[in-house]
Amino acid sequence: GLSKEEETGLEKITDSAALVAASGKDAVVALAGRGVGPRAAARILRRPSRGDEFLKDILREEQLYSRNKRFWR
């Protein structure tokens, strides 16, 4: 079997793939954000924003990641 760390990584990859399959290019753009994983990308994609607002939503998630990343280690 897989280690806990490997299972977590596989789950993240599977979630990312499902998001891309469902939302296409928008999901790829959201996932490209620094610190934006599948859960945050799904949150962004659920919002009815497009264009500049979509990019601002990604930026907000990146900022949230930057503020909180030190507490996750």
Side-chain angles (χ1 to χ4, degrees):
L2 300 174
S3 71
K4 182 67 176 162
E5 192 174 296
E6 290 170 329
E7 284 182 25
T8 303
L10 182 60
E11 184 177 318
K12 186 174 179 181
I13 291 169
T14 304
D15 291 347
S16 295
L19 206 53
V20 171
S23 299
K25 181 182 172 187
D26 285 343
V28 174
V29 172
L31 288 165
R34 180 166 166 71
V36 179
R39 287 172 46 196
R43 255 195 323 271
I44 292 167
L45 292 167
R46 278 195 298 269
R47 296 180 190 137
S49 58
R50 290 294 167 253
D52 286 348
E53 275 304 308
F54 176 64
L55 297 176
K56 286 179 185 177
D57 287 342
I58 295 170
L59 180 59
R60 279 187 215 105
E61 289 292 339
E62 289 179 331
Q63 290 169 335
L64 183 64
Y65 170 77
S66 289
R67 279 195 305 268
N68 295 319
K69 69 180 177 183
R70 64 185 161 169
F71 300 111
W72 297 336
R73 298 182 189 220

mmCIF file of all heavy atoms in Angstrom, residues 17-47:
data_model
loop_
_atom_site.group_PDB
_atom_site.id
_atom_site.type_symbol
_atom_site.label_atom_id
_atom_site.label_comp_id
_atom_site.label_asym_id
_atom_site.label_seq_id
_atom_site.Cartn_x
_atom_site.Cartn_y
_atom_site.Cartn_z
ATOM 1 N N ALA A 17 -7.339 16.668 -11.219
ATOM 2 C CA ALA A 17 -7.741 16.126 -12.517
ATOM 3 C C ALA A 17 -9.249 16.213 -12.711
ATOM 4 O O ALA A 17 -9.732 16.577 -13.787
ATOM 5 C CB ALA A 17 -7.267 14.685 -12.657
ATOM 6 N N ALA A 18 -10.007 15.903 -11.670
ATOM 7 C CA ALA A 18 -11.463 15.977 -11.759
ATOM 8 C C ALA A 18 -11.919 17.416 -11.986
ATOM 9 O O ALA A 18 -12.850 17.673 -12.761
ATOM 10 C CB ALA A 18 -12.100 15.413 -10.489
ATOM 11 N N LEU A 19 -11.251 18.355 -11.327
ATOM 12 C CA LEU A 19 -11.594 19.767 -11.483
ATOM 13 C C LEU A 19 -11.327 20.229 -12.916
ATOM 14 O O LEU A 19 -12.146 20.921 -13.522
ATOM 15 C CB LEU A 19 -10.755 20.583 -10.494
ATOM 16 C CG LEU A 19 -11.265 21.908 -10.020
ATOM 17 C CD1 LEU A 19 -12.666 21.810 -9.460
ATOM 18 C CD2 LEU A 19 -10.331 22.474 -8.977
ATOM 19 N N VAL A 20 -10.181 19.828 -13.462
ATOM 20 C CA VAL A 20 -9.839 20.191 -14.844
ATOM 21 C C VAL A 20 -10.812 19.541 -15.825
ATOM 22 O O VAL A 20 -11.254 20.172 -16.787
ATOM 23 C CB VAL A 20 -8.373 19.819 -15.170
ATOM 24 C CG1 VAL A 20 -8.077 19.994 -16.651
ATOM 25 C CG2 VAL A 20 -7.412 20.667 -14.332
ATOM 26 N N ALA A 21 -11.180 18.289 -15.570
ATOM 27 C CA ALA A 21 -12.136 17.603 -16.451
ATOM 28 C C ALA A 21 -13.487 18.317 -16.442
ATOM 29 O O ALA A 21 -14.154 18.411 -17.478
ATOM 30 C CB ALA A 21 -12.306 16.151 -16.014
ATOM 31 N N ALA A 22 -13.887 18.849 -15.292
ATOM 32 C CA ALA A 22 -15.194 19.495 -15.175
ATOM 33 C C ALA A 22 -15.181 20.949 -15.654
ATOM 34 O O ALA A 22 -16.155 21.410 -16.244
ATOM 35 C CB ALA A 22 -15.669 19.451 -13.725
ATOM 36 N N SER A 23 -14.074 21.664 -15.403
ATOM 37 C CA SER A 23 -14.069 23.113 -15.664
ATOM 38 C C SER A 23 -13.069 23.566 -16.714
ATOM 39 O O SER A 23 -13.015 24.757 -17.040
ATOM 40 C CB SER A 23 -13.804 23.872 -14.365
ATOM 41 O OG SER A 23 -14.814 23.599 -13.431
ATOM 42 N N GLY A 24 -12.229 22.670 -17.186
ATOM 43 C CA GLY A 24 -11.307 22.999 -18.274
ATOM 44 C C GLY A 24 -10.270 24.053 -17.934
ATOM 45 O O GLY A 24 -9.678 24.047 -16.858
ATOM 46 N N LYS A 25 -10.093 24.977 -18.886
ATOM 47 C CA LYS A 25 -9.038 25.985 -18.789
ATOM 48 C C LYS A 25 -9.137 26.825 -17.518
ATOM 49 O O LYS A 25 -8.114 27.158 -16.918
ATOM 50 C CB LYS A 25 -9.101 26.886 -20.025
ATOM 51 C CG LYS A 25 -8.050 27.961 -20.055
ATOM 52 C CD LYS A 25 -8.200 28.840 -21.281
ATOM 53 C CE LYS A 25 -7.266 30.022 -21.181
ATOM 54 N NZ LYS A 25 -7.498 30.986 -22.257
ATOM 55 N N ASP A 26 -10.350 27.171 -17.108
ATOM 56 C CA ASP A 26 -10.499 27.970 -15.879
ATOM 57 C C ASP A 26 -9.893 27.250 -14.677
ATOM 58 O O ASP A 26 -9.268 27.876 -13.825
ATOM 59 C CB ASP A 26 -11.972 28.286 -15.611
ATOM 60 C CG ASP A 26 -12.519 29.352 -16.540
ATOM 61 O OD1 ASP A 26 -11.721 30.083 -17.175
ATOM 62 O OD2 ASP A 26 -13.754 29.466 -16.629
ATOM 63 N N ALA A 27 -10.067 25.937 -14.613
ATOM 64 C CA ALA A 27 -9.498 25.166 -13.506
ATOM 65 C C ALA A 27 -7.977 25.184 -13.576
ATOM 66 O O ALA A 27 -7.302 25.324 -12.548
ATOM 67 C CB ALA A 27 -10.011 23.734 -13.531
ATOM 68 N N VAL A 28 -7.429 25.065 -14.770
ATOM 69 C CA VAL A 28 -5.965 25.090 -14.935
ATOM 70 C C VAL A 28 -5.415 26.438 -14.485
ATOM 71 O O VAL A 28 -4.410 26.505 -13.768
ATOM 72 C CB VAL A 28 -5.567 24.788 -16.397
ATOM 73 C CG1 VAL A 28 -4.068 24.966 -16.603
ATOM 74 C CG2 VAL A 28 -5.990 23.376 -16.789
ATOM 75 N N VAL A 29 -6.075 27.516 -14.880
ATOM 76 C CA VAL A 29 -5.635 28.861 -14.487
ATOM 77 C C VAL A 29 -5.716 29.019 -12.964
ATOM 78 O O VAL A 29 -4.784 29.520 -12.329
ATOM 79 C CB VAL A 29 -6.473 29.947 -15.201
ATOM 80 C CG1 VAL A 29 -6.166 31.342 -14.661
ATOM 81 C CG2 VAL A 29 -6.226 29.900 -16.699
ATOM 82 N N ALA A 30 -6.813 28.575 -12.369
ATOM 83 C CA ALA A 30 -6.965 28.684 -10.910
ATOM 84 C C ALA A 30 -5.897 27.863 -10.191
ATOM 85 O O ALA A 30 -5.285 28.338 -9.235
ATOM 86 C CB ALA A 30 -8.359 28.241 -10.492
ATOM 87 N N LEU A 31 -5.660 26.640 -10.650
ATOM 88 C CA LEU A 31 -4.676 25.769 -10.002
ATOM 89 C C LEU A 31 -3.243 26.278 -10.176
ATOM 90 O O LEU A 31 -2.353 25.901 -9.407
ATOM 91 C CB LEU A 31 -4.787 24.344 -10.551
ATOM 92 C CG LEU A 31 -6.017 23.575 -10.099
ATOM 93 C CD1 LEU A 31 -6.230 22.344 -10.979
ATOM 94 C CD2 LEU A 31 -5.898 23.172 -8.639
ATOM 95 N N ALA A 32 -3.018 27.134 -11.162
ATOM 96 C CA ALA A 32 -1.678 27.687 -11.382
ATOM 97 C C ALA A 32 -1.319 28.739 -10.331
ATOM 98 O O ALA A 32 -0.153 29.106 -10.196
ATOM 99 C CB ALA A 32 -1.581 28.291 -12.778
ATOM 100 N N GLY A 33 -2.304 29.207 -9.585
ATOM 101 C CA GLY A 33 -2.035 30.198 -8.545
ATOM 102 C C GLY A 33 -1.155 29.613 -7.446
ATOM 103 O O GLY A 33 -1.286 28.455 -7.078
ATOM 104 N N ARG A 34 -0.270 30.430 -6.913
ATOM 105 C CA ARG A 34 0.641 29.977 -5.853
ATOM 106 C C ARG A 34 -0.158 29.639 -4.597
ATOM 107 O O ARG A 34 -0.877 30.469 -4.054
ATOM 108 C CB ARG A 34 1.652 31.081 -5.546
ATOM 109 C CG ARG A 34 2.638 30.729 -4.458
ATOM 110 C CD ARG A 34 3.781 31.730 -4.468
ATOM 111 N NE ARG A 34 4.596 31.691 -3.290
ATOM 112 C CZ ARG A 34 5.451 30.715 -2.970
ATOM 113 N NH1 ARG A 34 5.549 29.669 -3.744
ATOM 114 N NH2 ARG A 34 6.180 30.787 -1.878
ATOM 115 N N GLY A 35 -0.026 28.384 -4.171
ATOM 116 C CA GLY A 35 -0.716 27.950 -2.967
ATOM 117 C C GLY A 35 -2.179 27.612 -3.193
ATOM 118 O O GLY A 35 -2.896 27.356 -2.241
ATOM 119 N N VAL A 36 -2.624 27.625 -4.446
ATOM 120 C CA VAL A 36 -4.023 27.313 -4.755
ATOM 121 C C VAL A 36 -4.110 25.831 -5.120
ATOM 122 O O VAL A 36 -3.664 25.416 -6.181
ATOM 123 C CB VAL A 36 -4.569 28.184 -5.909
ATOM 124 C CG1 VAL A 36 -6.009 27.816 -6.224
ATOM 125 C CG2 VAL A 36 -4.452 29.664 -5.556
ATOM 126 N N GLY A 37 -4.670 25.050 -4.214
ATOM 127 C CA GLY A 37 -4.853 23.630 -4.454
ATOM 128 C C GLY A 37 -6.253 23.358 -4.963
ATOM 129 O O GLY A 37 -7.023 24.290 -5.235
ATOM 130 N N PRO A 38 -6.604 22.092 -5.071
ATOM 131 C CA PRO A 38 -7.918 21.736 -5.608
ATOM 132 C C PRO A 38 -9.095 22.297 -4.798
ATOM 133 O O PRO A 38 -10.096 22.714 -5.387
ATOM 134 C CB PRO A 38 -7.926 20.213 -5.577
ATOM 135 C CG PRO A 38 -6.525 19.787 -5.418
ATOM 136 C CD PRO A 38 -5.780 20.926 -4.818
ATOM 137 N N ARG A 39 -8.979 22.332 -3.478
ATOM 138 C CA ARG A 39 -10.094 22.844 -2.670
ATOM 139 C C ARG A 39 -10.295 24.334 -2.882
ATOM 140 O O ARG A 39 -11.422 24.808 -3.059
ATOM 141 C CB ARG A 39 -9.868 22.531 -1.194
ATOM 142 C CG ARG A 39 -10.075 21.063 -0.899
ATOM 143 C CD ARG A 39 -9.688 20.640 0.486
ATOM 144 N NE ARG A 39 -10.180 21.529 1.532
ATOM 145 C CZ ARG A 39 -9.729 21.537 2.765
ATOM 146 N NH1 ARG A 39 -8.782 20.699 3.124
ATOM 147 N NH2 ARG A 39 -10.215 22.359 3.661
ATOM 148 N N ALA A 40 -9.188 25.097 -2.873
ATOM 149 C CA ALA A 40 -9.288 26.536 -3.097
ATOM 150 C C ALA A 40 -9.744 26.834 -4.529
ATOM 151 O O ALA A 40 -10.563 27.730 -4.753
ATOM 152 C CB ALA A 40 -7.948 27.214 -2.827
ATOM 153 N N ALA A 41 -9.242 26.073 -5.491
ATOM 154 C CA ALA A 41 -9.638 26.269 -6.886
ATOM 155 C C ALA A 41 -11.134 25.993 -7.058
ATOM 156 O O ALA A 41 -11.822 26.722 -7.773
ATOM 157 C CB ALA A 41 -8.818 25.371 -7.809
ATOM 158 N N ALA A 42 -11.633 24.963 -6.399
ATOM 159 C CA ALA A 42 -13.059 24.651 -6.480
ATOM 160 C C ALA A 42 -13.884 25.796 -5.894
ATOM 161 O O ALA A 42 -14.930 26.169 -6.445
ATOM 162 C CB ALA A 42 -13.362 23.347 -5.749
ATOM 163 N N ARG A 43 -13.400 26.388 -4.791
ATOM 164 C CA ARG A 43 -14.075 27.547 -4.191
ATOM 165 C C ARG A 43 -14.128 28.707 -5.182
ATOM 166 O O ARG A 43 -15.155 29.353 -5.356
ATOM 167 C CB ARG A 43 -13.318 28.010 -2.940
ATOM 168 C CG ARG A 43 -13.957 27.656 -1.651
ATOM 169 C CD ARG A 43 -13.391 28.410 -0.464
ATOM 170 N NE ARG A 43 -11.958 28.680 -0.475
ATOM 171 C CZ ARG A 43 -11.018 27.869 0.017
ATOM 172 N NH1 ARG A 43 -11.346 26.701 0.554
ATOM 173 N NH2 ARG A 43 -9.753 28.204 -0.001
ATOM 174 N N ILE A 44 -13.010 28.967 -5.841
ATOM 175 C CA ILE A 44 -12.927 30.049 -6.820
ATOM 176 C C ILE A 44 -13.899 29.789 -7.973
ATOM 177 O O ILE A 44 -14.620 30.682 -8.407
ATOM 178 C CB ILE A 44 -11.485 30.189 -7.361
ATOM 179 C CG1 ILE A 44 -10.542 30.682 -6.260
ATOM 180 C CG2 ILE A 44 -11.447 31.124 -8.564
ATOM 181 C CD1 ILE A 44 -9.067 30.559 -6.597
ATOM 182 N N LEU A 45 -13.912 28.561 -8.467
ATOM 183 C CA LEU A 45 -14.743 28.226 -9.628
ATOM 184 C C LEU A 45 -16.233 28.236 -9.307
ATOM 185 O O LEU A 45 -17.057 28.410 -10.214
ATOM 186 C CB LEU A 45 -14.317 26.869 -10.192
ATOM 187 C CG LEU A 45 -12.922 26.861 -10.829
ATOM 188 C CD1 LEU A 45 -12.451 25.438 -11.065
ATOM 189 C CD2 LEU A 45 -12.914 27.665 -12.112
ATOM 190 N N ARG A 46 -16.591 28.058 -8.043
ATOM 191 C CA ARG A 46 -18.007 28.114 -7.650
ATOM 192 C C ARG A 46 -18.550 29.540 -7.681
ATOM 193 O O ARG A 46 -19.746 29.758 -7.788
ATOM 194 C CB ARG A 46 -18.206 27.532 -6.251
ATOM 195 C CG ARG A 46 -18.285 26.026 -6.236
ATOM 196 C CD ARG A 46 -18.830 25.522 -4.911
ATOM 197 N NE ARG A 46 -17.979 25.877 -3.777
ATOM 198 C CZ ARG A 46 -16.995 25.121 -3.301
ATOM 199 N NH1 ARG A 46 -16.721 23.966 -3.855
ATOM 200 N NH2 ARG A 46 -16.284 25.514 -2.263
ATOM 201 N N ARG A 47 -17.657 30.512 -7.561
ATOM 202 C CA ARG A 47 -18.084 31.912 -7.595
ATOM 203 C C ARG A 47 -18.490 32.274 -9.029
ATOM 204 O O ARG A 47 -17.876 31.815 -9.980
ATOM 205 C CB ARG A 47 -16.951 32.824 -7.132
ATOM 206 C CG ARG A 47 -16.571 32.585 -5.690
ATOM 207 C CD ARG A 47 -15.446 33.506 -5.259
ATOM 208 N NE ARG A 47 -14.959 33.090 -3.964
ATOM 209 C CZ ARG A 47 -13.664 33.024 -3.634
ATOM 210 N NH1 ARG A 47 -12.739 33.361 -4.488
ATOM 211 N NH2 ARG A 47 -13.310 32.622 -2.430
#
